């Protein structure tokens, strides 16, 4: 057995898992399972523990190395697991020396934990990779960490404060990936709309996006991961309006549709701000599709407040919902607020998911009969520019295929390949 990586959580974790695997292999490590955890919810942490136990059962001779946000924020609980050989912090997991020590000398019991103070990390390196194994699109890290302190979120304590990758490094990485045949690049990070505040001249995400599209003209598709719409700068709005290579799909860090709940979450926007952003973007790009993260059952949420979250789905014209029943994370202010009964939290989560299914079907029905360029992800599946999944025959992973939409399943589109896009 060589090195297996099990990844939980966000796109940034997917990118970092590729870096981890490369660094571990270059360090000479073998017969190891690296588990890259997520700390967003209690369920994510539970799944990581389950994966650790399974890894040990299935591979009793392998080294089990645990890292990621949950390992950073709950170090002791993971290091106390008998199945775990080593716990690495979010900084250490990207460093070759962390794996070289293990490859050369094993893991002394006294050094089972290698986790630094994430708040002391001042920079984020732009790790150059040639691609992501088994993926049709490539993720490029442009930022890490977060300076905001939303009351429900533990992630800043797992990732540290916001740091940005210099523009030149980002552009070099994208050139390298495009040269290796990638047609779509996704800019990723923890809070990418805060990009540049720590760099000379304080460039913004819009500056970076415009520079990428100008300096890498052969790039066919550029996509943004989750954004905070209140931080969308003028240059970003200009690029959205003027360059069709920036994909018309934006996933919003919305979290709630009620102003008082947003205030108690310590968010920086009001519901009207998000509605206005969606209206402005739709005016510029009528083909745009929006997704959003929404939390159901936040502490103190009344039925009326929850109704505002349901209503904002239609008011913003959202299509792809990521619904999170509220999960109190120890160490966050929201965990100390008056909690709702768990059955009510789950019930509201179910209602919000049902709303998400309703708006997704509406979107799918509206796509039937249209011709869309589809990026093939794997045999039989691809995604439109709006990030809607399509089932179709033909094409190889990474190719863009002109596709007529002939129907839908209620969850994804059905397509008929016409030709490869230029």
């Amino acid at each position: 057995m060589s090195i297996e990586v099990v990844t939980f959580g966000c796109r940034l974790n997917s990118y970092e898992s590729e870096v981890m695997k490369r660094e571990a292999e270059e360090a000479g490590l073998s017969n190891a399972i690296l588990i890259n955890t997520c700390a967003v919810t209690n369920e994510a942490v539970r799944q990581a523990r389950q994966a650790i136990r399974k890894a040990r059962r299935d591979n009793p001779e392998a080294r089990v190395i645990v890292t990621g946000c949950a390992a950073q924020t709950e170090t002791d609980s993971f290091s106390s697991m008998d199945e775990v050989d080593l716990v690495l912090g979010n900084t250490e997991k990207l460093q070759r020396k962390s794996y070289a020590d293990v490859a050369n000398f094993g893991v002394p019991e006294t050094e089972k934990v290698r986790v630094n103070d994430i708040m002391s990390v001042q920079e984020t390196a732009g790790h150059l990779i040639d691609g992501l194994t088994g993926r049709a699109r490539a993720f490029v890290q442009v930022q890490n960490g977060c300076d905001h302190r939303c009351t429900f979120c533990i992630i800043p304590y797992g990732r540290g404060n916001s740091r940005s990758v210099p523009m030149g490094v980002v552009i070099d990485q994208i050139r390298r990936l495009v040269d290796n045949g990638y047609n779509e690049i996704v800019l990723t990070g923890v809070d990418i709309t805060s990009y540049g505040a720590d760099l000379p001249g304080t460039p913004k995400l819009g500056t970076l996006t415009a520079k990428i599209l100008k300096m890498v003209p052969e790039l066919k598709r550029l996509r943004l991961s989750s954004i905070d719409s209140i931080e969308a700068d003028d240059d970003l709005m200009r690029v959205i309006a003027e360059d069709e290579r920036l994909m018309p799909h934006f996933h919003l860090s919305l979290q709630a549709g009620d102003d008082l709940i947003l205030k108690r979450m310590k968010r920086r926007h009001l519901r009207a701000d998000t509605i206005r952003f969606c209206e402005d973007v739709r005016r510029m790009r009528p083909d745009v599709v929006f997704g959003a993260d929404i939390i159901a059952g936040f502490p103190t949420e009344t039925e009326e407040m929850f109704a505002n979250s349901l209503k904002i789905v239609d008011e913003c014209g959202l299509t792809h919902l990521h619904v999170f029943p509220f999960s109190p994370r120890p160490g966050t202010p929201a965990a100390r607020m008056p909690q709702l009964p768990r059955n009510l939290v789950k019930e509201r989560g179910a209602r919000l998911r049902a709303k998400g299914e309703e708006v997704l079907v509406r979107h799918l029905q509206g796509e039937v009969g249209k011709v869309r360029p589809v990026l093939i992800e794997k045999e039989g599946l691809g995604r439109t520019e709006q990030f809607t999944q399509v089932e179709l025959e033909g094409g190889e992973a990474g190719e863009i295929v002109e596709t007529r939409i002939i129907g839908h399943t209620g969850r994804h589109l059905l397509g008929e390949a016409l030709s490869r896009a230029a």
Side-chain angles (χ1 to χ4, degrees):
M1 176 186 173
S2 56
I3 294 175
E4 177 186 350
V5 184
V6 180
T7 306
F8 294 90
C10 63
R11 291 169 178 170
L12 180 57
N13 254 16
S14 296
Y15 169 87
E16 289 178 338
S17 287
E18 201 71 20
V19 176
M20 288 162 48
K21 189 172 190 294
R22 182 193 65 193
E23 296 302 307
E25 289 174 342
E26 291 292 327
L29 184 62
S30 62
N31 194 22
I33 301 172
L34 313 182
I35 298 179
N36 198 5
T37 64
C38 172
V40 168
T41 63
N42 289 327
E43 176 61 17
V45 177
R46 187 194 68 79
Q47 290 176 2
R49 295 185 192 284
Q50 190 176 53
I52 291 166
R53 295 187 183 102
K54 183 176 188 300
R56 174 57 69 215
R57 278 197 312 271
D58 295 348
N59 304 277
E61 302 303 318
R63 295 184 178 95
V64 175
I65 299 174
V66 180
T67 184
C69 289
Q72 181 77 44
T73 58
E74 302 181 31
T75 305
D76 291 345
S77 66
F78 283 100
S79 66
S80 65
M81 294 180 69
D82 292 338
E83 297 87 350
V84 174
D85 293 307
L86 176 65
V87 179
L88 295 177
N90 264 332
T91 297
E92 289 78 8
K93 73 181 183 182
L94 304 175
Q95 297 172 346
R96 188 171 303 178
K97 64 181 181 181
S98 299
Y99 306 103
D101 293 346
V102 180
N104 294 334
F105 306 110
V107 186
E109 187 62 33
T110 55
E111 295 185 21
K112 190 174 181 179
V113 175
R114 300 175 190 172
V115 179
N116 77 347
D117 175 9
I118 197 69
M119 293 302 178
S120 68
V121 180
Q122 300 296 316
E123 296 179 352
T124 286
H127 297 277
L128 295 179
I129 59 174
D130 295 320
L132 277 78
T133 304
R135 292 181 181 267
R137 62 180 54 81
F139 303 131
V140 172
Q141 180 186 10
V142 302
Q143 180 272 344
N144 203 342
C146 185
D147 289 338
H148 311 302
R149 296 295 182 265
C150 297
T151 59
F152 56 84
C153 188
I154 196 71
I155 297 304
Y157 305 98
R159 289 286 182 176
N161 293 318
S162 182
R163 302 88 78 192
S164 308
V165 179
M167 282 196 292
V169 176
V170 173
I171 291 168
D172 286 347
Q173 169 74 103
I174 291 175
R175 278 205 191 100
R176 181 171 177 162
L177 291 164
V178 170
D179 287 346
N180 284 336
Y182 282 88
N183 286 319
E184 181 172 305
I185 303 296
V186 183
L187 302 187
T188 188
V190 175
D191 179 25
I192 67 170
T193 30
S194 70
Y195 177 85
D198 56 322
L199 296 177
T202 61
K204 295 187 179 295
L205 180 62
T207 314
L208 173 65
T209 304
K211 186 74 75 173
I212 290 168
L213 293 168
K214 179 181 179 181
M215 300 300 291
V216 194
E218 60 272 32
L219 172 62
K220 291 185 173 65
R221 293 185 175 198
L222 181 65
R223 195 179 293 279
L224 304 180
S225 60
S226 181
I227 65 171
D228 211 334
S229 61
I230 198 68
E231 291 185 318
D233 59 278
D234 291 343
D235 284 343
L236 181 58
M237 299 300 281
R238 192 174 302 111
V239 174
I240 291 171
E242 296 177 359
D243 200 318
E244 292 188 354
R245 291 183 296 155
L246 181 63
M247 293 293 93
H249 166 256
F250 300 99
H251 192 82
L252 310 178
S253 181
L254 176 59
Q255 310 307 345
D258 182 83
D259 284 342
L260 185 54
I261 291 297
L262 288 168
K263 182 177 181 181
R264 288 172 178 165
M265 288 179 167
K266 209 173 178 182
R267 301 293 294 162
R268 288 159 299 122
H269 66 270
L270 300 174
R271 70 193 320 275
D273 297 322
T274 306
I275 294 168
R276 183 167 54 251
F277 172 80
C278 292
E279 290 174 345
D280 289 346
V281 173
R282 190 168 280 112
R283 209 162 28 244
M284 299 170 183
R285 297 284 293 274
D287 60 340
V288 72
V289 163
F290 294 104
D293 295 331
I294 305 181
I295 296 173
F298 188 81
T300 77
E301 181 186 72
T302 64
E303 183 61 30
E304 182 181 5
M305 293 170 178
F306 175 68
N308 284 332
S309 287
L310 284 174
K311 285 192 292 187
I312 204 170
V313 174
D314 289 325
E315 290 168 323
C316 287
L318 304 178
T319 295
H320 303 295
L321 298 191
H322 287 181
V323 176
F324 297 88
F326 176 75
S327 176
R329 304 297 287 122
T332 62
R336 300 190 296 272
M337 296 178 183
Q339 306 292 307
L340 300 186
R342 290 311 300 169
N343 63 332
L344 180 58
V345 173
K346 291 179 180 178
E347 185 265 340
R348 287 182 180 171
R351 287 164 62 191
L352 201 47
R353 288 194 185 98
K355 181 65 177 178
E357 292 172 2
E358 172 193 320
V359 295
L360 176 59
V361 168
R362 189 187 309 161
H363 167 66
L364 297 175
Q365 289 171 339
E367 289 292 290
V368 176
K370 295 180 179 178
V371 174
R372 297 290 192 193
V374 172
L375 178 76
I376 304 299
E377 294 183 320
K378 60 183 180 180
E379 185 177 356
L381 286 175
R383 288 190 188 266
T384 68
E385 293 175 316
Q386 291 82 6
F387 208 61
T388 308
Q389 195 171 58
V390 185
E391 182 181 321
L392 75 164
E393 293 182 4
E396 297 180 3
E399 281 190 311
I400 298 175
V401 177
E402 287 293 332
T403 303
R404 177 180 289 112
I405 307 304
I406 58 175
H408 71 84
T409 68
R411 293 189 176 276
H412 58 258
L413 297 168
L414 300 173
E416 178 183 67
L418 300 177
S419 64
R420 290 170 172 78

